[in-house]
Structure formats: structure tokens, C-alpha cells
């Protein structure tokens, strides 16, 4: 039931605070209490089983029956001791956040009830998966797919109300072998970059055996009171406001950022953070964001696969806990026009098995050459595969954010900071330095100076879509609703590919050059030359950059249909196939799904705009207009001045007429779009023929909002959505 604005406002301003019983407890006393982590495995599994399992995790080996049975039995006892009755394979389908199907441990054996959990049920399940999106890989009559345990992400207990479920992270794969989820390709990309980065590390340190990827995902979001949310059909249906005049006070005063957090919001944060911490999600940072009503939560970084599971789980927890505090969390990239959008900054780096960050400069010259190698290879990867990175963050939502208020543009570029940029310039210029047998190569090549320059010298550029921030890169263009595995799969595959190129070229150099350092520098120099036009240090938000980028030949794909075309190129298919991340079929299926999703989103928004305009806005305006006409007649009878009222009536009439006309035209365009045969044509039509109506219709609706009596206006206004607590 849709709420009335007045009723919703009353409710929103008369809320009681919800307090949370765990408030104030030390985090270390409950951290990860709901996770079957390393400590639990060690204590609950025999040494032999534990070691076999760890081998499977570290080396990606297959799990045998006996190990699986032993782990399942231990998991069951651990979970049952905590009141768990059901288990589920938990996975990330291609659309929507996560999926689960709960089965209970309980079964009847010869009529007697017992609790059982076999290794086979742990390792593999066959959910009836016909309704999960697959992009054409399976037709419904052969809807067979299976979920398979991912032992590298620990099982956890998820509590909803009083039901406790053991969740087992899994991948979701078709019987024909194609991935039907977001985790399987991510794991493959992680494997690809591990292999490539480890091989490159061998030039510097023979002891490196494994390189892992780290991710720290900063999550931005808005909070809106639940009653007000429920009074906005556009928020309910689309996750964003389709109408709404900007408030007289927006974020001009910049008084929200890092400001004090309202009490009701703090209570919400404490509760969801605690729930997250109990699940081993190491959330650490909370603060207000730039826009009113906008906030951020950031965990400490973790291994990429785990960090991704944690981000997806965190979003789910936030939604559930928000409800208890009578809030709605809005993860949409651009819920309010004219106000900051929300991103999910993906902080990314590479770390060796003994914890050394390959993207952190140190005070040792040798390590710095390694640092420069990984830095330059990453820059080249972004340069070579910029279009794929753009595709990886493309969605109807993010199109609204990119290039808007306080968000990076759709042009992919890299920010390194002045100091580091000049280091690369020097390196590039410093051609043909002769390094003799007894020379200190690092000194001669100017590398021994680098550490002092870089350490402590990380300036920030918050306008860049991809910025180096001292010891990691930050992919800032990623949208707030995104599953991080999508951009991370592309980024890691791209960097893996360049690392392979690097190794090949260095090995070639080594055939004619005996000094390893010189060979490496020669290749780096070449890479810098080839990729330096992706580097940009100044304001990415400025119009000058748009012009300059064009001159540099950098793409600026403003819309999703344009951006997704990159996935379908030869280069893209070759890249993902080379590293065994996606087969061409999988890639095509994903592109298909993304286009389809785009079409559906724009279609739904267009329908909601039509409904709202015709059934809410126009009737309200007419009602008010009738009052004005009555007033006009009265004034006329009394021979008083009617000019103002008449003008108002005319204005309202004009807006109503135009809205009605445009909604009719938009509906026609929609019909035409639906009739087109290919998906890409439909997506283009929705993008270029249907979507442009949104802003035009909105303009007149927002004008009416200013004209119509405030008491009659049906939708909660921006000032109410954004500033109420
Ligand atoms: P901000 O960008 O807001 O200034 P912080 O420096 O607090 O952010 O870090 C943001 C995120 O980056 C956090 O999640 C943090 O754990 C993560 N981070 C820090 N170092 C690394 C790293 N080496 N690899 C990946 N993420 C990292
Ligand atoms: Mg950041």
C-alpha cells in the first residue's frame, strides 16, 4: 500500500530510537563468531584432514570424498551447537546479489528423525536453477546447473529473525561447464594474475611462490526514512527518484561531509557493523559522505574473493538491519538528481605470500624496481584495456552517475601523482644509460633515488576514475550497486595479461643484454611510452579534460550500450580466452544479459514515469487548478484583480498539456523499441529514443511541484527525503 505523504511525514518525524543489545561490547569478543574459519578448522578437524583441506585451498586441488565427509561432519556439529537447523549453498547469480535455497539437516531414516550432512551435500548441489539468468547458455528444458563448494571462502552462519542457516559459499556452473555466476570467473582471474605476477616476481625474489590480490571496497549509500520511501513509487520500483525539485538547500554548504552522524543513523550503523563483524567482515570506517543523507562504510582490505563475498553479504545485512531502524538503504548510483551519486571504490593491490605489498614503494632500490614494474604494468593494462574496464562498470544506474556531480567521467584515465609521474618521465627519458659490469645498475639508472621521492608523497586526486593512492590503486568509477567481482575480474585479467607480455619481453631482452635490471628498465621504458597517454593528473571533472581526452584518442562512452560493445570485440574474446577466464560463449552470454538488464531498467523507469505523471501528478495539478478556477470566479465576481490567478492557471495548463503529450510520445517510442528485432537495436532505442524523454518530462513535473499547493503534493519532496532524521 502506498503511503500518503502527510502520513509518512508524521511517521518519519515521530520515530523512537532502536537500541541494540550488543552496543558497547569490545569487537574482539565477538568478531567472526559465526564463521567456520581457520581456528575452527584447526580445532574441529583432524590434523590430516585440516592439512588436506588447506592444500586444496592454497593450491586449488580437488577435494576427495573422505576429506569432504570429514569437513561436513565437523561443520554440522559446529553449526548445530549454535542452533543451526538448515544449510544452503550460497552463490552470486548473474543478476541480483546472492541466491540461496535452504535444506534442513533433518531427514527420516526408517521413520526416525536424524540430522545428517554428507560430504557430497557440502561439495555439490543441484539447485533447480531454471529461473536464474544465464544469457542463453541454457534453455529452460535443460536447466541443469550445479553449485560447487568454494573452500577458499569460509562457511558462515546467517541469522535472520530466529532462523539460523549454515551458508556455504559456492560457484554456480552449468552442466556443460560454463559459469553461471560471478564468482567462478573471479576465481579464474585470481588464478591468472597469481600465475603471471609470481612469474614476474621471480626476477626480483626467487622465494615468491604466490601472489594474492587484495580488495578494500568502500561502500557508499543513502538512508531514507522507511515511511517516506514507501510514499515514493519511483524509489520502490526503480531505487531512484524520477521526479523531485532540488531543495533550496542542497550540498552547497558542504556541511555534511565528515559531519557528526545523527543518532538514529549511528544506532543503525552500530547494529549492522556488529552483525557484519560477527560474520568476520572487518568493517572499520564509518562517516557521512558529501551529500545530505549519504554515508560510507569501509572494511579493512582482504583477499579479493573473500572481500567480494563480504561486500555482497554486507549489503544484504545493511538492508535487513535498516528495516529494523525504519530506514531504507539506497545503494543506487544516482538516487537524487543534482546530488552526489554513490560509488564503491575498489582499492586494489597485489601481495606476496609473506605479506609484501607489490604496489608499496620501499626504501630498498631493488624492491623499488619491482614496485615500478607492477605499477607500470598496471598503467599499461588500464591503457590497453580501458574500454573493457569501462564496460565492466557499465549499467543504466552508473550511466547517470559517471560524469555527474562529484563522480569520475566515463573516460578511463590513471592518476599517479606528480612525484610518481615525474619518476616515470625520468625513466622514459633516461634512454640508453650504459651500465658496465662493475656498475651499480640502480644508481646508474636513477632508481636508487626513487624511494625517498615516493615515500610519504601521495597526493590525492579525488576526480580520477583510477588513482594510485600510495600503496594501492583505487578504481573509483565502480558503482555502488556493483558486485565487485565484475570489475575485478576484468582488471585482474588485464593486469595478468600485461605481466605476461612483460615477462616475454624481458626474457627476449635478456638474450642480448646480460644485466637483468637493464633489460627490465628497457621494457618498462617501452611500456611507459606506449601507455602514457592514459595518465592524467588534473581535474577529471572539467570540460577541458573531455576535449583533451578526445585529442588523445581516449574513448568517452557515455552510455551502457556503447560501453558494452567492448566485450564483443576480438581483442576482448582473445584476452579472456588466453587466460581462461571466459570462453567466447560465456562472454557473449554476459553481454547479452547486461544489455537485457539495461533495456528492462529503462523500460521500467519509463513506465513508472508514465504512471506517476498520469495518475499522481496530473490529477493533483488538476485538483489544484480547479481550486484556482473557483478562486478566479470569486475574484471576478468581486471585481478584483485576477491576473495572478489567471497566469497560474495558464501555466499549470501548459505543463499538464506538455507532460501528457510527452508521456504519449514516449509510450509510442517504447512500443517501437519493443518491436525491434535485435537486442542491441532495442537497447539503442531505449537509450536514445526513450530515455531522453525522462528529463524533459521531469522538467515540467518539477515545475508543477513549485506551483501546486504544498499541502496537495503527493510525493515526499527532496528536502524531506534528504534532511529528515
Ligand atoms: P580513503 O580512500 O577513504 O582515504 P583509506 O586509506 O582509509 O581510504 O582506505 C580505503 C580502503 O582501502 C580501506 O578499505 C583499506 O583497507 C583499503 N586498503 C588499504 N591498503 C590496501 C591495499 N594494500 N590493498 C587493497 N586495499 C587497501
Ligand atoms: Mg577512497
Amino acid at each position: 500500500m502506498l503511503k500518503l505523504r502527510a502520513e509518512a511525514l508524521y511517521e518519519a518525524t515521530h520515530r523512537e530510537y532502536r537500541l541494540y543489545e550488543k552496543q558497547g561490547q569490545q569487537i574482539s569478543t565477538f568478531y567472526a563468531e559465526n564463521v567456520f574459519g581457520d581456528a575452527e578448522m584447526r580445532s574441529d578437524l583432524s590434523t590430516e584432514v585440516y592439512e588436506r583441506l588447506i592444500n586444496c585451498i592454497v593450491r586449488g586441488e580437488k577435494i576427495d570424498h573422505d576429506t569432504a565427509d570429514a569437513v561436513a561432519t565437523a561443520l554440522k556439529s559446529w553449526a548445530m551447537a549454535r542452533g543451526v537447523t538448515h544449510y544452503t549453498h550460497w552463490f552470486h547469480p548473474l543478476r541480483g546479489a546472492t541466491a540461496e535455497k535452504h535444506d534442513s539437516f533433518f531427514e527420516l531414516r526408517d521413520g526416525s528423525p536424524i540430522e545428517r550432512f554428507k560430504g557430497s551435500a557440502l561439495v555439490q548441489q543441484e539447485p533447480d536453477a531454471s529461473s536464474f539468468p544465464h544469457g542463453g547458455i541454457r534453455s529452460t528444458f535443460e536447466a541443469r546447473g550445479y553449485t560447487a563448494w568454494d573452500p577458499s571462502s569460509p562457511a558462515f552462519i546467517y541469522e535472520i529473525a530466529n532462523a539460523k542457516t549454515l551458508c556455504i559459499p559456492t560457484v554456480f556452473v552449468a552442466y556443460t561447464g560454463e559459469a553461471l555466476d560471478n564468482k567462478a570467473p573471479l576465481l579464474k582471474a585470481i588464478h591468472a594474475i597469481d600465475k603471471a605476477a609470481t612469474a614476474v616476481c621471480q626476477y626480483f625474489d626467487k622465494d615468491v611462490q604466490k601472489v594474492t590480490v587484495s580488495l578494500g571496497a568502500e561502500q557508499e549509500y543513502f538512508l531514507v526514512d522507511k515511511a517516506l520511501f514507501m510514499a515514493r513509487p519511483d524509489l520502490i520500483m526503480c531505487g531512484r527518484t524520477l521526479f523531485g525539485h532540488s531543495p533550496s538547500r542542497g550540498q552547497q554548504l558542504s556541511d555534511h561531509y565528515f559531519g557528526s552522524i545523527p543518532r538514529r543513523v549511528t544506532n543503525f550503523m552500530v547494529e549492522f557493523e556488529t552483525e557484519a563483524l560477527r560474520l568476520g567482515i572487518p568493517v572499520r570506517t564509518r562517516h557521512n559522505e558529501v551529500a545530505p543523507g549519504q554515508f560510507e562504510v569501509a572494511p579493512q582490505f582482504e583477499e579479493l574473493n573473500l572481500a567480494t563475498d563480504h561486500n555482497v553479504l554486507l549489503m544484504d545485512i545493511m538492508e535487513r538491519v535498516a528495516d529494523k531502524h525504519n530506514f531504507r538503504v539506497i545503494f543506487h548510483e544516482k538516487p537524487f538528481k543534482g546530488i552526489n551519486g554513490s560509488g564503491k571504490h575498489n582499492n586494489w593491490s597485489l601481495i606476496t605470500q609473506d605479506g609484501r605489498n607489490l604496489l608499496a614503494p620501499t626504501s630498498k632500490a631493488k624492491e623499488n624496481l619491482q614496485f615500478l614494474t607492477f605499477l607500470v604494468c598496471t598503467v599499461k593494462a588500464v591503457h590497453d584495456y580501458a574500454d573493457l574496464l569501462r564496460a565492466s562498470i557499465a549499467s543504466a544506474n552508473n550511466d547517470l552517475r559517471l560524469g555527474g556531480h562529484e563522480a569520475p567521467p566515463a573516460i578511463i584515465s590513471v592518476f599517479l601523482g606528480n612525484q610518481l609521474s615525474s619518476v616515470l618521465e625520468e625513466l622514459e627519458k633516461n634512454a640508453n644509460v650504459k651500465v658496465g659490469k662493475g656498475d651499480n645498475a640502480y644508481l646508474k639508472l636513477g632508481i636508487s633515488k626513487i624511494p625517498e621521492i615516493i615515500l610519504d608523497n601521495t597526493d590525492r586526486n579525488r576526480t580520477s576514475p583510477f588513482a594510485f593512492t600510495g600503496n594501492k590503486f583505487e578504481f573509483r568509477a565502480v558503482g555502488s550497486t556493483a558486485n565487485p567481482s565484475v570489475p575485478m575480474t576484468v582488471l585482474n585479467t588485464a593486469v595478468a595479461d600485461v605481466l605476461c607480455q612483460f615477462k616475454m619481453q624481458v626474457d627476449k631482452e635478456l638474450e642480448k643484454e646480460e644485466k637483468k635490471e637493464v633489460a627490465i628498465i628497457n621494457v618498462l621504458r617501452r611500456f611507459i611510452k606506449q601507455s602514457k597517454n592514459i595518465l592524467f593528473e588534473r581535474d577529471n571533472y572539467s570540460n577541458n579534460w573531455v576535449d583533451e581526452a578526445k585529442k588523445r584518442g581516449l574513448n568517452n562512452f557515455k552510455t551502457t550500450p556503447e560501453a558494452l560493445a567492448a566485450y564483443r570485440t576480438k581483442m576482448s574474446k582473445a584476452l579472456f580466452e588466453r587466460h581462461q577466464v571466459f570462453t567466447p560463449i560465456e562472454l557473449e552470454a554476459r553481454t547479452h544479459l547486461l544489455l537485457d538488464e539495461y533495456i528492462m531498467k529503462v523500460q521500467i523507469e519509463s513506465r513508472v514515469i508514465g504512471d506517476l505523471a498520469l495518475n499522481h501528478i496530473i490529477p493533483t495539478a488538476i485538483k489544484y487548478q480547479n481550486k484556482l478556477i473557483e478562486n478566479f470566479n470569486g475574484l471576478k465576481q468581486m471585481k478584483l484583480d485576477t491576473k495572478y490567478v489567471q497566469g497560474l492557471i495558464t501555466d499549470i495548463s501548459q505543463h499538464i498539456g506538455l507532460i501528457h503529450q510527452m508521456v504519449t510520445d514516449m509510450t509510442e517510442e517504447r512500443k517501437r523499441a519493443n518491436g525491434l528485432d535485435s537486442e542491441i537495436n532495442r537497447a539503442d532505442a531505449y537509450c536514445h529514443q526513450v530515455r531522453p524523454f525522462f528529463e524533459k518530462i521531469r522538467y515540467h513535473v518539477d515545475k508543477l511541484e513549485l506551483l501546486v499547493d504544498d499541502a496537495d503534493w503527493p510525493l515526499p519532496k527532496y528536502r524531506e527525503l534528504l534532511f529528515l532524521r
Side-chain angles (χ1 to χ4, degrees):
M1 230 313 258
L2 202 61
K3 279 219 180 292
L4 295 173
R5 172 167 160 242
E7 218 178 88
L9 274 170
Y10 182 85
E11 238 181 86
T13 44
H14 290 78
R15 296 284 188 203
E16 304 228 328
Y17 291 118
R18 172 186 159 89
L19 276 176
Y20 181 53
E21 72 271 17
K22 284 213 166 53
Q23 208 145 331
Q25 282 183 26
Q26 283 305 317
I27 292 169
S28 56
T29 60
F30 59 80
Y31 179 70
E33 68 182 6
N34 281 339
V35 181
F36 193 71
D38 194 61
E40 288 71 21
M41 290 193 223
R42 265 178 210 278
S43 71
D44 296 5
L45 300 172
S46 70
T47 315
E48 199 196 339
V49 170
Y50 173 78
E51 270 164 16
R52 253 186 291 155
L53 183 61
I54 293 299
N55 270 340
C56 295
I57 294 171
V58 175
R59 304 211 187 104
E61 287 167 10
K62 220 176 140 75
I63 289 166
D64 60 277
H65 276 290
D66 293 347
T67 309
D69 272 334
V71 176
T73 306
L75 257 177
K76 187 191 76 180
S77 316
W78 174 79
M80 279 174 54
R82 283 160 180 78
V84 173
T85 51
H86 287 63
Y87 66 93
T88 181
H89 274 197
W90 181 84
F91 58 101
H92 309 209
L94 290 175
R95 196 178 290 142
T98 59
E100 45 204 79
K101 171 187 158 238
H102 299 189
D103 282 305
S104 86
F105 291 134
F106 156 82
E107 62 181 53
L108 285 176
R109 191 191 281 166
D110 304 329
S112 313
I114 56 160
E115 259 91 22
R116 210 152 86 113
F117 185 45
K118 287 196 302 191
S120 52
L122 164 67
V123 172
Q124 191 169 317
Q125 292 270 298
E126 221 178 297
D128 172 25
S130 51
S131 48
F132 289 110
H134 50 79
I137 284 175
R138 299 161 311 150
S139 44
T140 29
F141 59 84
E142 44 167 5
R144 301 222 304 163
Y146 63 93
T147 50
W149 181 28
D150 165 22
S152 61
S153 183
F156 57 90
I157 297 170
Y158 204 26
E159 277 181 54
I160 296 168
N162 285 325
K164 294 183 178 183
T165 305
L166 175 68
C167 295
I168 298 149
T170 55
V171 294
F172 182 34
V173 191
Y175 257 89
T176 39
E178 288 92 3
L180 296 172
D181 71 348
N182 285 312
K183 188 195 264 273
L186 180 71
L187 290 173
K188 291 173 186 169
I190 289 173
H191 179 68
I193 198 164
D194 172 18
K195 229 172 42 181
T198 304
V200 167
C201 282
Q202 295 295 309
Y203 291 127
F204 307 93
D205 180 355
K206 292 270 178 234
D207 291 338
V208 175
Q209 283 144 23
K210 191 174 172 69
V211 173
T212 57
V213 190
S214 60
L215 171 69
E218 300 167 58
Q219 180 71 54
E220 294 178 334
Y221 61 96
F222 279 85
L223 280 182
V224 167
D225 185 274
K226 188 158 99 185
L228 295 171
F229 182 98
M230 295 311 284
R232 298 267 331 197
D234 46 1
L235 281 177
I236 298 173
M237 310 283 283
C238 312
R240 74 168 175 121
T241 56
L242 297 165
F243 302 140
H245 200 279
S246 41
S248 17
R249 182 182 135 188
Q251 55 192 65
Q252 306 96 325
L253 297 174
S254 291
D255 52 357
H256 187 66
Y257 195 55
F258 284 163
S260 72
I261 301 171
R263 185 167 151 207
R264 191 167 145 216
V265 177
T266 307
N267 288 350
F268 157 71
M269 287 175 167
V270 169
E271 181 163 352
F272 90 70
E273 285 171 8
T274 306
E275 288 306 313
L277 288 159
R278 294 175 69 210
L279 283 164
I281 305 172
V283 288
R284 287 191 58 191
T285 313
R286 58 171 96 125
H287 63 76
N288 286 354
E289 261 305 325
V290 183
Q294 193 188 25
F295 306 91
E296 179 187 299
V297 53
Q300 189 170 315
F301 70 88
E302 296 177 284
E303 187 278 321
L304 173 55
N305 177 37
L306 185 61
T308 301
D309 280 355
H310 280 170
N311 176 256
V312 174
L313 192 53
L314 178 66
M315 289 168 76
D316 195 60
I317 296 170
M318 288 168 73
E319 282 178 340
R320 290 181 202 273
V321 173
D323 196 60
K324 297 182 184 168
H325 293 261
N326 294 307
F327 280 127
R328 275 303 167 98
V329 187
I330 301 180
F331 287 118
H332 192 291
E333 280 76 356
K334 194 74 181 176
F336 303 101
K337 187 184 166 187
I339 298 226
N340 266 20
S342 298
K344 171 154 24 206
H345 300 173
N346 279 205
N347 293 273
W348 169 92
S349 74
L350 297 169
I351 297 179
T352 62
Q353 84 271 358
D354 46 10
R356 206 147 41 81
N357 180 352
L358 294 167
L359 286 168
T362 74
S363 51
K364 295 191 195 116
K366 191 170 147 195
E367 285 177 4
N368 271 301
L369 187 56
Q370 175 170 298
F371 159 72
L372 282 176
T373 297
F374 282 94
L375 184 91
V376 170
C377 285
T378 306
V379 171
K380 186 170 193 299
V382 178
H383 171 270
D384 292 1
Y385 298 111
D387 291 351
L388 286 178
L389 288 167
R390 169 66 184 94
S392 78
I393 52 162
S395 70
N397 296 2
N398 213 17
D399 283 357
L400 295 164
R401 164 179 171 256
L402 294 178
H405 215 96
E406 284 278 326
I411 309 161
I412 299 289
S413 69
V414 181
F415 170 84
L416 291 180
N418 282 335
Q419 310 288 337
L420 208 44
S421 296
S422 47
V423 168
L424 294 202
E425 262 165 49
E426 278 301 306
L427 199 66
E428 188 200 338
K429 270 193 291 186
N430 229 338
N432 305 319
V433 181
K434 289 265 174 295
V435 184
K437 266 234 151 84
D439 284 345
N440 179 337
Y442 294 105
L443 207 65
K444 273 247 162 168
L445 292 164
I447 293 179
S448 31
K449 280 189 306 200
I450 295 170
E452 298 103 81
I453 303 175
I454 308 171
L455 284 175
D456 301 327
N457 238 324
T458 51
D459 33 357
R460 289 275 174 130
N461 180 337
R462 297 200 171 269
T463 70
S464 175
F466 199 92
F468 183 71
T469 49
N471 60 358
K472 61 188 188 285
F473 277 98
E474 188 171 340
F475 193 5
R476 304 174 71 256
V478 182
S480 44
T481 56
N483 182 322
S485 59
V486 179
M488 283 295 111
T489 297
V490 174
L491 176 65
N492 287 291
T493 310
V495 177
D497 194 64
V498 174
L499 288 170
C500 291
Q501 292 172 27
F502 174 81
K503 181 161 163 52
M504 248 161 40
Q505 296 195 22
V506 170
D507 286 348
K508 209 158 176 200
E509 288 280 323
L510 282 172
E511 287 168 14
K512 49 184 199 247
E513 165 67 56
E514 0 173 337
K515 277 250 180 230
K516 193 169 62 186
E517 293 75 15
V518 178
I520 288 171
I521 292 275
N522 285 345
V523 177
L524 288 183
R525 193 172 283 139
R526 209 176 299 147
F527 277 14
I528 294 169
K529 263 203 189 82
Q530 288 163 353
S531 51
K532 68 179 173 192
N533 80 338
I534 199 84
L535 298 178
F536 184 66
E537 299 295 307
R538 282 166 289 129
D539 183 5
N540 284 255
Y541 297 171
S542 73
N543 287 330
N544 292 347
W545 172 227
V546 176
D547 299 336
E548 189 182 330
K550 201 168 178 184
K551 277 191 214 129
R552 292 192 191 186
L554 301 180
N555 286 321
N556 184 4
F557 296 131
K558 290 204 173 123
T559 67
T560 293
E562 264 181 295
L564 290 178
Y567 277 149
R568 289 183 153 152
T569 58
K570 251 193 188 149
M571 187 213 231
S572 152
K573 285 179 198 160
L575 170 76
F576 291 114
E577 222 177 2
R578 199 155 52 236
H579 298 282
Q580 298 177 2
V581 172
F582 291 123
T583 64
I585 293 177
E586 288 173 320
L587 199 57
E588 182 50 32
R590 265 149 227 264
T591 315
H592 176 87
L593 265 177
L594 288 164
L595 279 171
D596 197 45
E597 180 173 353
Y598 178 84
I599 293 168
M600 284 195 308
K601 279 218 167 121
V602 181
Q603 187 180 55
I604 291 170
E605 289 190 346
S606 167
R607 286 184 184 148
V608 173
I609 286 174
D611 275 2
L612 273 179
L614 301 186
N615 305 325
H616 295 240
I617 306 299
I618 292 185
T620 305
I622 289 178
K623 228 195 295 173
Y624 181 57
Q625 203 181 30
N626 284 338
K627 280 193 212 164
L628 292 174
I629 291 171
E630 223 173 88
N631 177 265
F632 172 85
N633 288 334
L635 289 173
K636 219 167 146 191
Q637 253 176 24
M638 296 175 73
K639 302 200 166 38
L640 291 171
D641 185 5
T642 55
K643 219 164 92 206
Y644 170 69
V645 180
Q646 196 172 358
L648 207 52
I649 294 170
T650 316
D651 282 353
I652 291 176
S653 281
Q654 279 169 350
H655 290 305
I656 291 176
L658 286 166
I659 292 171
H660 181 259
Q661 186 56 49
M662 285 192 282
V663 168
T664 312
D665 293 348
M666 177 174 73
T667 311
E668 280 310 308
E669 285 300 342
R670 224 162 55 213
K671 281 190 197 147
R672 202 166 311 152
N674 294 341
L676 295 171
D677 50 4
S678 84
E679 186 178 54
I680 183 71
N681 288 339
R682 279 200 298 280
D684 274 339
Y686 267 100
C687 181
H688 299 296
Q689 310 303 329
V690 177
R691 212 172 195 183
F693 279 103
F694 293 8
E695 277 308 296
K696 291 189 207 154
I697 295 171
R698 178 179 190 142
Y699 173 83
H700 294 283
V701 171
D702 291 356
K703 284 284 175 220
L704 283 178
E705 185 184 321
L706 293 183
L707 297 178
V708 171
D709 185 354
D710 183 62
D712 291 341
W713 195 253
L715 304 174
K717 298 185 171 181
Y718 267 29
R719 61 162 193 268
E720 295 155 352
L721 292 168
L722 289 164
F723 289 97
L724 277 178
R725 292 291 165 245

